[in-house]
């Protein structure tokens, strides 16, 4: 069977990493995977090295009406060239394009919702929901919270229920645990072995609320330590792994708050897995979130967490045992979570093995890939 995946880009990101893991874990060796993306990235190179054909429609990451239209027609030609038996599409623009083109070409389509509807603007969320209803094909929501966010859309929600199936994200637990054998974040950024590190992973975009996290970390330091009496190397750190449009503004915020010795903006990392082993605790400050791949990866290596209620993975992990869920992404709530995690760390750290076991049982990429393959058989 020929399976075509359509996704806007193949740089480091939750949906992109998930697609890489899905193809690597696909349960049938006789299926052939091809990916069409609007622009490439490090994940494209990794998949090419494993024999996956990658078709890049454009070398530019700019988004304007001309590029949008050009990519639409290039995508149409790419679909004809591949002649797939089924198409998977991921993320907003790819989903919109694929629904229309697969309808015209009469190709079975499964589109994937990785983000809550609130992640999109009003126009995009309604266009996404409307096209999912009007055009044939199934929709996968990567978390129950993602499905719920679309069902709540006025006029569209009730009709979406029959189109959507929930298949929760999965991660490669074995590969993440293998990261212990490689250099981790502490080696890479020259941090002492005993230093407490709050770690966050994600694109530097407003919905991740990293500015609030940096502000909250500043409050944490100011209230918990007499900074003039403590050696810098003994103080906790905040490390944010990722890149995006807010990179410069976050760097300016760190400098304005005089936190350069305490906050590391790690930038984009080609291989994030080893870096989790350098964190003491994982932090998510997101305003809205689907089922975060980064959170699952952190839990797979046993890290306790501080997350907003928007990022709570369906209550599977107990806030009293595995981490702390704060009410919002606001500075005061995040600061409270950081303080509580640091002061009661032993309580949360001791349950590392149980977190790994739970992720392996419920969020294994092999389990997820089996569900995707079963759905392919139903729609073809």
């Amino acid at each position: 069977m020929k399976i075509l995946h359509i996704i806007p880009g193949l740089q480091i990101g939750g949906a992109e990493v998930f697609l890489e893991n899905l193809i690597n874990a696909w349960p049938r060796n006789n299926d052939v995977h091809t990916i069409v993306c609007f622009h490439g990235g490090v994940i494209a190179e990794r998949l090419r090295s494993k024999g996956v054909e990658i078709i890049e429609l454009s070398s530019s990451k700019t988004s304007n009406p001309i590029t949008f239209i050009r990519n639409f027609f290039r995508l149409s030609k790419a679909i004809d060239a591949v002649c797939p038996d089924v198409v998977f599409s991921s993320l907003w623009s790819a989903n919109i394009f694929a629904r229309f083109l697969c309808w015209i070409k009469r190709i079975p389509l499964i589109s994937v919702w990785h983000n809550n509807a609130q992640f999109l603007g009003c126009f995009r969320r309604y266009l996404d929901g409307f096209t999912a209803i009007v055009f044939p094909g199934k929709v996968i929501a990567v978390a129950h919270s993602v499905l719920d966010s679309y069902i709540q859309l006025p006029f569209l929600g009730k009709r979406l229920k029959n189109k959507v199936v929930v298949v929760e994200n999965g991660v490669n637990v074995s590969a993440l645990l293998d990261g212990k054998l490689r250099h981790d974040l502490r080696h890479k950024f020259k941090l002492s072995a005993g230093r407490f590190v709050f770690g966050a992973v994600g694109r530097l975009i407003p919905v991740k609320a990293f500015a609030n996290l940096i502000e909250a970390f500043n409050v944490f330091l100011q209230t918990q330590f007499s900074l003039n009496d403590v050696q810098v190397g003994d103080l906790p750190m905040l490390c944010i792994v990722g890149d995006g449009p807010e990179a410069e503004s976050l760097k300016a915020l760190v400098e304005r708050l005089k936190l350069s010795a305490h906050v590391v903006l790690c930038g984009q990392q080609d291989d994030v897995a080893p870096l989790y082993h350098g964190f003491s605790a994982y932090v998510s400050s997101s305003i809205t979130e689907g089922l975060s791949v980064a959170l699952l990866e952190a839990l797979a290596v046993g890290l306790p967490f501080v997350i907003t209620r928007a990022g709570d993975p369906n209550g599977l992990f107990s806030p009293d045992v595995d981490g702390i869920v704060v009410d919002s992404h606001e500075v005061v709530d995040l600061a409270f979570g950081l303080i509580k995690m640091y002061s009661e760390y032993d309580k949360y750290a001791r349950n590392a093995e149980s977190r790994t076991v739970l992720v392996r049982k419920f969020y294994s990429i092999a389990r997820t890939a089996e569900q995707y393959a079963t759905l392919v058989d139903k729609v073809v």
Side-chain angles (χ1 to χ4, degrees), residues 34-193:
T34 303
I35 300 177
V36 173
C37 58
F38 302 150
H39 49 83
V42 64
I43 292 179
E45 298 310 313
R46 292 207 298 245
L47 286 169
R48 277 197 184 103
S49 70
K50 295 184 178 180
V52 178
E53 181 183 3
I54 311 291
I55 302 172
E56 295 183 26
L57 302 182
S58 174
S59 60
S60 172
K61 295 183 181 180
T62 58
S63 179
N64 57 59
I66 295 176
T67 303
F68 198 77
I69 294 170
R70 184 185 295 123
N71 283 339
F72 177 83
F73 287 104
R74 287 176 175 172
L75 176 59
S76 179
K77 290 181 179 179
I79 293 174
D80 291 339
V82 175
C83 194
D85 297 299
V86 65
V87 171
F88 278 102
S89 63
S90 297
L91 302 176
W92 183 81
S93 57
N95 286 342
I96 301 300
F97 282 176
R99 285 171 190 151
F100 184 75
L101 290 171
C102 288
W103 170 63
I104 292 175
K105 300 173 188 295
R106 297 185 178 182
I107 301 171
L109 170 68
I110 302 169
S111 52
V112 184
W113 285 340
H114 282 275
N115 300 306
N116 290 337
Q118 292 81 3
F119 183 85
L120 304 171
C122 183
F123 171 75
R124 289 188 173 192
R125 78 178 68 137
Y126 272 92
L127 182 59
D128 197 359
F130 177 75
T131 55
I133 293 170
V134 171
F135 293 109
K138 293 293 289 185
V139 179
I140 290 176
V142 302
H144 291 280
S145 61
V146 172
L147 173 58
D148 292 343
S149 71
Y150 278 89
I151 288 177
Q152 292 168 12
L153 291 177
F155 311 113
L156 300 181
K158 290 183 179 179
R159 298 183 63 186
L160 285 170
K161 280 187 176 181
N162 296 328
K163 297 277 291 190
V164 184
V165 59
V166 176
V167 181
E168 292 182 311
N169 275 342
V171 294
N172 188 337
V173 179
S174 297
L176 288 161
L177 294 179
D178 285 345
K180 291 180 179 179
L181 304 177
R182 302 193 296 271
H183 292 303
D184 64 17
L185 175 138
R186 292 176 189 266
H187 291 94
K188 190 176 184 70
F189 294 98
K190 297 180 174 61
L191 307 179
S192 64

Side-chain angles (χ1 to χ4, degrees), residues 224-246:
Q224 297 300 298
F225 302 95
S226 177
L227 300 184
N228 293 329
D229 299 331
V230 181
Q231 293 288 330
V232 169
D234 295 331
L235 290 172
M237 290 198 69
L238 171 64
C239 291
I240 299 175
V241 179
D243 198 4
E246 288 198 318

